Amino acid sequence: MGEDGRWERLTLWYEQPAQRWVEAMPLGNGRLGAMVFGGIRRERVPLNEDTLWSGTGPKQAANDDALDHLDQVRRLVLREHDYPAADRAAQGIQGPYSESYLPLGDLWLDVGHGNAAGRTPPGEPAGYRRELDLDGAVASVRYRWDGVEYRREALVSAVDGVLALHLCADRPGCVSLGASLQSALWSRSECLAPDTLVLRGRAPAHTDPHYIAAGRPVLYGEEDTEGGMLFEARLQIVAKGGRLRADGRHLHVEGADAVTLLLASDTSFAGADRPPHADRRALSGACASRVARALARGFDAVRADHVREHRELFRRVWFELGTPPPEGSPGERRSDAVARAMELAARPTDARLEAVRAGAEDPWLQVQYFQFGRYLLLAGSRPGTQPTNLQGIWNEELLPPWSSNYTININTEMNYWPAEVSGLPECHEPLLDMIDGLRASGRRTARVYYGCRGWTAHHNTDLWRMTNPVGRGSGDPVWANWPMGGVWLSRHLWEHWAHGGDLAFLRDRAYPVLREAALFLLDFLVDDGPGRLLSCPSTSPENRFLAPDGRSAAISAGSTLDMALCRELFTHCLEAARLLGVDPDLAEAWDRARADLLPWRIGQYGQLEEWWEDFGEAEPGHRHMSHLYGLHPGSQITPDGTPELAAAARASLRRRLAHGGGHTGWSRAWLINLFARLHDGEEAYGHLLALLRHSTLDNLWDTHPPFQIDGNFGGTAGIAEMLLQSHAGALHLLPARPRAWQAGRVEGLRARGGFTVSLDWEEGCLREVVLEARPTGSWEASGLGPRSVTLRWPADVRLRDLESADGRRAEARASGPGSAGLELPGPGRYRLAFA
């Protein structure tokens, strides 16, 4: 199979149009999102713009009484141990809710078939096929009707910044359509010419979350004074042959050979630190110029450049799995297993998923799921755009679930777990930019709510970079009053540095953010009396405990998650300060604070304790597993380095699962990662199958339920963790390969330390590794000299050969079964053979 041929296998396809929004095919360029239903007579293309949110600008979330309530909470927790009362007091440390991510509207196409009169052909369409090509980022539809083949393609280009649709037929004069634009927001559409339609509107000044009982959950401000975000979408049609005309708010094409539609959109967003601008002329000019440029280039050029640019990023990582081992009776032949896998692979995607729900495994669907996560990250997050929210960049509801905001007590972070390892570090940039942008608001929140230096954030943020605890004085503290969102987010800057090794990035971008977050911790942590430092107020996000008197509560002190986050951030800051040669006094303070943190504790069931005392659990099967942060995504707990804590983490997982844990899509995805970190490939694989069987929609989107995109990204990251790990001071090859993956290949995974890794394995045994050592800032500072790296692999094979691509001498020193220290002469490509 040729280079392009193997990538053609990464196509999702269906034999019918989508009936629901969650069945449609997602397209995007990080800013403009679209969904393709593939309707035959009527096509719906829902549209989103990444900066179309409610709100009128950043909020000054002052709470003059917060510090008084903070003192009260600490007294109730640390001295009186009255946790339910502390919950009530914590509501005094709350501010406004976040704003909501909104739908722009819908492009509707009434599609005609046949001659210029638009007659309906006899009979029914045949041979219908709807596709999403992950490799090309193009959605397509084709079918035959009355002897004519109709084709339709759609894409959202990052190069040209437009949605492009192309309709054609294999007989002249058979393409007719009517086009309109509609929105659920305040808006009006009008035809500017026979080929041009524009939709102009305004977003609400405020929307309440969907879970708040409010008489007026959607509020619009005054038209010219305090209104919300302006937006515009401009559509232009080009027809080959036929006739164009405008009729009211519709454009019509009759009897064309082919039709191209180009759509651009924009909003009046002027930055997270200021209100939206009110210049409709500038807004219209931006849309018009984008459409005009694409129009001058033509659909073929727009499509070609779009596919080229997408593939340059998407094709960095290849993954394939061989046929699973025979199952059932011992006498089943391998040829039967091959035939079974081939039969599954020939089915439409929804039929394959249905077979998996019924008990099949389908290795190639697992491959597609992995690559679909990478596709969604490319479609939803590009340099200069907003980061992906709870639904990526796709949303059809005016009051979306959880405001479709950034939930930063795991969900937003999970969206970016695959960015570095799966070869898409550029897609990480929108989140890194947002974290940097949170600092200004986060400084105010740290000062006003806690009297602290540095910056902090809580469990929600939005386009306007809010950082205050939400709830308006009545929110449940179990989710509202957790001030560690900034600390968790800071990890992402460290991960970007760890994978890329750019010292300038560490110095100029990462360290300033980490430093201020750690300053907040120095001021926020309190002494428990016996000399331990802990956080207060503290929660284990969204999970409640049972106080000694049996009452349920959320607020305590020093939750295991909080302590793991503090320990990790202090460690990262100490390492960064050492590398950069800065802040010796601060480094000493961080080192002392780290040593005094409340330590890990193992509870009555052998589990890792979740709170500062071994409280009973109000919901033992809770979806969040925050106390296991040190296992994943953190790196403080490892099977080899901290075996007792790893065993306690496993006990926690067993207890969670025994009580129904992992029941949401993203939670199940986290389980894949957690068990992969325990080197338990069979458990990790079982949860991958469960994710597909119970939490995956027919278009492969993750469902909470409802639709929530984090599980897609967590699933992709989990598969990568099963193949390669680099968090524990070594490159660990196939650390959690399940028996079902008897053969396979992965190319292009990125590891910490500046490495790119490709792996081949057959009959369950590692055969070949290609290790590319990339130049990094730290390596360059040392003159590109020799470099040591520890390599680990399954102990059932031995390293037979190590050679460099350019003939330089590289050495491997065995350090035990399945382990060796490599001495690499410098950046370059190295091949390792195993037997």
Side-chain angles (χ1 to χ4, degrees):
M1 184 179 294
E3 175 68 12
D4 285 341
R6 70 174 186 170
W7 293 96
E8 289 174 2
R9 299 166 70 188
L10 295 177
T11 297
L12 313 183
W13 68 280
Y14 307 86
E15 293 181 322
Q16 68 285 326
Q19 299 300 312
R20 301 181 299 146
W21 183 77
V22 291
E23 297 172 1
M25 301 180 295
L27 299 170
N29 63 3
R31 187 180 53 78
L32 173 60
M35 300 287 288
V36 176
F37 276 62
I40 295 174
R41 294 176 177 86
R42 195 159 203 236
E43 173 67 285
R44 178 192 174 198
V45 183
L47 303 168
N48 289 99
E49 174 75 24
D50 72 330
T51 57
L52 185 54
W53 289 66
S54 61
T56 59
K59 300 170 183 173
Q60 299 294 328
N63 182 338
D64 295 335
D65 298 324
L67 293 178
D68 290 337
H69 288 285
L70 176 64
D71 290 340
Q72 185 181 4
V73 167
R74 287 175 169 170
R75 173 178 54 78
L76 289 165
V77 169
L78 298 172
R79 287 193 236 157
E80 300 179 20
H81 304 286
D82 189 343
Y83 303 107
D87 282 5
R88 294 189 294 274
Q91 290 179 319
I93 316 174
Q94 293 179 359
Y97 286 99
S98 78
E99 295 297 343
S100 299
Y101 182 57
L102 301 171
L104 188 152
D106 295 308
L107 168 62
W108 290 95
L109 301 180
D110 293 301
V111 182
H113 301 82
N115 61 19
R119 66 180 178 84
T120 300
E124 292 295 326
Y128 181 93
R129 185 179 175 104
R130 175 170 59 101
E131 293 184 353
L132 177 60
D133 173 14
L134 303 182
D135 177 49
V138 176
S140 62
V141 174
R142 70 174 185 264
Y143 51 90
R144 296 192 66 81
W145 201 351
D146 195 26
V148 180
E149 180 166 287
Y150 296 90
R151 291 179 175 269
R152 195 182 309 163
E153 286 191 323
L155 59 92
V156 179
S157 168
V159 178
D160 289 285
V162 296
L163 164 68
L165 296 97
H166 185 73
L167 295 83
C168 63
D170 66 357
R171 185 181 299 172
C174 286
V175 179
S176 301
L177 62 85
S180 61
L181 289 167
Q182 300 176 12
S183 176
L185 306 177
W186 276 7
S187 59
R188 179 179 178 83
S189 62
E190 62 175 318
C191 296
L192 303 183
D195 64 348
T196 304
L197 177 65
V198 67
L199 174 72
R200 297 188 176 103
R202 183 185 292 272
H206 175 71
T207 58
D208 273 330
H210 77 288
Y211 51 85
I212 298 298
R216 296 181 62 197
V218 180
L219 298 173
Y220 286 90
E222 296 296 327
E223 179 67 21
D224 297 317
T225 57
E226 55 179 292
M229 192 87 69
L230 304 179
F231 67 90
E232 180 167 318
R234 178 176 293 247
L235 175 69
Q236 192 157 351
I237 296 180
V238 181
K240 179 182 179 182
R243 185 168 77 93
L244 282 81
R245 63 181 177 85
D247 176 16
R249 298 178 184 178
H250 295 74
L251 299 178
H252 297 274
V253 181
E254 297 171 349
D257 302 336
V259 175
T260 297
L261 300 92
L262 298 168
L263 182 142
S265 63
D266 212 337
T267 74
S268 59
F269 181 65
D273 60 345
R274 65 199 68 186
H277 70 74
D279 189 347
R280 278 209 176 272
R281 182 172 297 180
L283 193 58
S284 296
C287 292
S289 63
R290 216 172 291 147
V291 169
R293 285 195 301 270
L295 189 65
R297 284 165 39 74
F299 178 77
D300 289 344
V302 168
R303 185 190 192 282
D305 283 352
H306 161 74
V307 171
R308 172 193 53 76
E309 188 270 348
H310 174 81
R311 285 179 175 169
E312 285 176 357
L313 299 167
F314 186 76
R315 288 190 174 187
R316 288 175 179 171
V317 173
W318 171 258
F319 177 41
E320 64 182 87
L321 290 171
T323 304
E327 60 184 37
S329 66
E332 184 185 27
R333 297 173 300 172
R334 186 157 194 85
S335 60
D336 296 331
V338 171
R340 186 176 66 249
M342 291 180 64
E343 190 276 328
L344 273 176
R347 298 183 190 180
T349 300
D350 50 345
R352 294 172 68 177
L353 190 58
E354 192 58 42
V356 170
R357 290 169 183 149
E361 295 191 12
D362 196 344
W364 195 254
L365 187 64
Q366 297 165 31
V367 168
Q368 288 184 328
Y369 190 86
F370 170 82
Q371 293 284 24
F372 185 56
R374 297 182 65 244
Y375 167 86
L376 290 173
L377 196 56
L378 275 167
S381 185
R382 292 296 193 97
T385 70
Q386 299 300 311
T388 53
N389 59 52
L390 283 172
Q391 297 185 180
I393 57 168
W394 301 277
N395 168 43
E396 68 164 349
E397 297 185 48
L398 191 57
L399 292 174
W402 300 285
S403 302
S404 193
N405 64 17
Y406 303 107
T407 304
I408 57 176
N409 63 15
I410 186 174
N411 312 94
T412 300
E413 291 90 345
M414 184 181 284
N415 284 2
Y416 287 89
W417 286 355
E420 299 293 336
V421 67
S422 75
L424 299 174
E426 299 92 337
C427 296
H428 211 168
E429 290 182 21
L431 179 65
L432 307 183
D433 290 343
M434 183 181 82
I435 296 168
D436 193 43
L438 286 168
R439 275 198 295 165
S441 171
R443 290 179 191 124
R444 289 193 300 273
T445 296
R447 184 177 65 253
V448 171
Y449 285 80
Y450 302 104
C452 295
R453 297 171 296 169
W455 76 280
T456 190
H458 292 76
H459 95 295
N460 277 165
T461 189
D462 58 18
L463 179 71
W464 310 108
R465 307 303 185 242
M466 60 158 286
T467 55
N468 61 269
V470 303
R472 292 196 301 232
S474 60
D476 192 335
V478 78
W479 37 261
N481 291 97
W482 177 73
M484 293 286 167
V487 180
W488 191 331
L489 284 173
S490 297
R491 174 185 178 80
H492 284 262
L493 292 131
W494 182 263
E495 285 295 294
H496 192 65
W497 141 254
H499 283 81
D502 182 350
L503 273 175
F505 174 83
L506 179 64
R507 180 186 63 244
D508 301 333
R509 294 283 309 280
Y511 183 63
V513 175
L514 271 62
R515 182 182 185 275
E516 284 196 70
L519 279 176
F520 170 75
L521 292 184
L522 287 180
D523 290 354
F524 177 72
L525 295 172
V526 295
D527 191 317
D528 67 349
R532 293 296 187 182
L533 288 180
L534 37 72
S535 53
C536 186
S538 175
T539 70
S540 190
E542 305 191 28
N543 198 9
R544 305 181 71 85
F545 60 88
L546 297 176
D549 62 6
R551 292 182 296 168
S552 171
I555 296 292
S556 66
S559 72
T560 300
L561 169 63
D562 285 6
M563 295 297 95
L565 287 167
C566 294
R567 195 174 293 113
E568 177 181 81
L569 179 58
F570 287 148
T571 299
H572 289 164
C573 285
L574 285 164
E575 178 65 9
R578 182 189 67 80
L579 286 167
L580 299 172
V582 298
D583 289 335
D585 292 340
L586 261 181
E588 186 178 339
W590 290 329
D591 198 26
R592 285 197 307 268
R594 182 178 63 172
D596 290 340
L597 289 171
L598 192 69
W600 306 98
R601 298 163 312 285
I602 296 175
Q604 59 185 311
Y605 304 106
Q607 90 286 6
L608 199 65
E609 286 187 23
E610 189 163 354
W611 295 276
W612 75 323
E613 294 184 27
D614 194 9
F615 293 126
E617 300 154 290
E619 187 183 342
H622 197 269
R623 62 194 177 278
H624 282 257
M625 292 163 280
S626 304
H627 55 313
L628 303 185
Y629 177 96
L631 177 63
H632 184 277
S635 57
Q636 299 165 55
I637 299 175
T638 64
D640 299 311
T642 57
E644 281 191 45
L645 293 178
R650 183 183 289 275
S652 292
L653 287 168
R654 286 175 175 161
R655 181 167 170 78
R656 273 288 200 273
L657 290 168
H659 290 85
H663 49 276
T664 67
W666 65 263
S667 182
R668 185 71 67 180
W670 198 357
L671 287 168
I672 301 170
N673 289 270
L674 289 163
F675 278 108
R677 285 284 177 91
L678 290 171
H679 305 161
D680 191 335
E682 298 310 316
E683 278 283 354
Y685 183 66
H687 291 293
L688 173 60
L689 292 177
L691 181 64
L692 290 167
R693 287 170 177 161
H694 307 302
S695 299
T696 300
L697 299 163
D698 283 352
N699 68 352
L700 295 195
W701 262 351
D702 173 70
T703 180
H704 184 282
F707 160 57
Q708 199 166 288
I709 206 166
D710 41 17
N712 285 107
F713 297 127
T716 293
I719 291 170
E721 288 283 343
M722 295 166 74
L723 299 169
L724 173 70
Q725 294 177 15
S726 61
H727 63 286
L731 300 183
H732 197 166
L733 314 174
L734 300 182
R737 181 195 63 80
R739 179 177 175 272
W741 293 356
Q742 283 290 294
R745 177 172 179 79
V746 64
E747 302 169 3
L749 294 181
R750 295 172 80 242
R752 297 166 184 86
F755 295 96
T756 301
V757 182
S758 299
L759 307 168
D760 267 301
W761 69 97
E762 297 175 356
E763 297 180 347
C765 295
L766 186 64
R767 293 304 182 210
E768 182 178 272
V769 175
V770 175
L771 186 64
E772 182 181 346
R774 304 186 309 273
T776 65
S778 53
W779 206 338
E780 289 168 357
S782 63
L784 298 179
R787 184 174 184 186
S788 300
V789 59
T790 301
L791 199 68
R792 297 184 61 196
W793 61 87
D796 55 356
V797 295
R798 62 179 179 83
L799 178 60
R800 180 171 54 84
D801 189 36
L802 167 62
E803 61 182 22
S804 66
D806 58 6
R808 290 179 297 169
R809 180 177 175 79
E811 296 183 0
R813 295 188 179 90
S815 54
S819 180
L822 306 185
E823 289 292 329
L824 307 180
R829 194 176 181 87
Y830 302 88
R831 177 184 171 274
L832 300 91
F834 294 82

